[in-house]
Amino acid sequence: AGMAEEAASDAVEDYEKRLVMYVVLRKDLLKDPWKFNLGAMVAQGCHVVSKTVWELREEPNVQDYMKDMDNMHKVTLGAADEGELAAIAQSLEENGIKHRVW
C-alpha cells in the first residue's frame, strides 16, 4: 500500500501544480442586440487566448503552460455583461494576475 499511496500523493501534487487558463466570455453577447451565435462566441474565446499567449509569451508561467500542449487545461466561465467582465478584470489587476481583455 505504501507505493500506491505515494503514487496517489504524487498524482495529487502534480494536479495541484497544474496551470489553468481561465477564459471568461460575456453571456449577454448571445442576446439582443448582439445575438452572437455559438461560432462567434468560440471565435471570441480563441481571439483572447491567442492574444494572451502571444503578449505574455515571455512569462515563465505561460512558457510552462505551453510546454505540454497535449495536456493544457482551460476553464471557460461566463460574465453576465460588460460591467461584470470589467469588475473581474479589475479584481485580477488588483491581485497582480496577468490577463487580457478582448
Side-chain angles (χ1 to χ4, degrees):
M3 287 179 41
E5 288 173 359
E6 186 175 323
S9 177
D10 288 347
V12 168
E13 187 176 326
D14 287 346
Y15 182 79
E16 289 173 348
K17 290 180 185 177
R18 178 178 292 209
L19 293 170
V20 177
M21 179 183 288
Y22 288 87
V23 180
V24 182
L25 300 173
R26 286 177 45 191
K27 295 188 286 186
D28 65 319
L29 295 177
L30 296 168
K31 304 173 187 171
D32 283 334
W34 300 280
K35 291 188 180 179
F36 280 32
N37 62 33
L38 182 58
M41 290 299 287
V42 170
Q44 294 306 305
C46 292
H47 291 323
V48 76
V49 167
S50 298
K51 175 184 174 75
T52 302
V53 169
W54 179 253
E55 291 182 357
L56 299 177
R57 66 190 175 278
E58 300 300 325
E59 292 291 323
N61 280 342
V62 173
Q63 292 178 8
D64 288 344
Y65 181 79
M66 297 302 291
K67 280 181 187 173
D68 188 6
M69 294 182 82
D70 290 334
N71 293 299
M72 292 187 296
H73 202 78
K74 289 180 186 59
V75 174
T76 304
L77 303 172
D81 54 29
E82 187 174 12
E84 185 174 20
L85 184 62
I88 292 167
Q90 181 178 348
S91 179
L92 293 170
E93 189 71 32
E94 289 169 358
N95 287 283
I97 298 171
K98 297 189 187 243
H99 63 284
R100 294 295 180 265
V101 176
W102 178 260

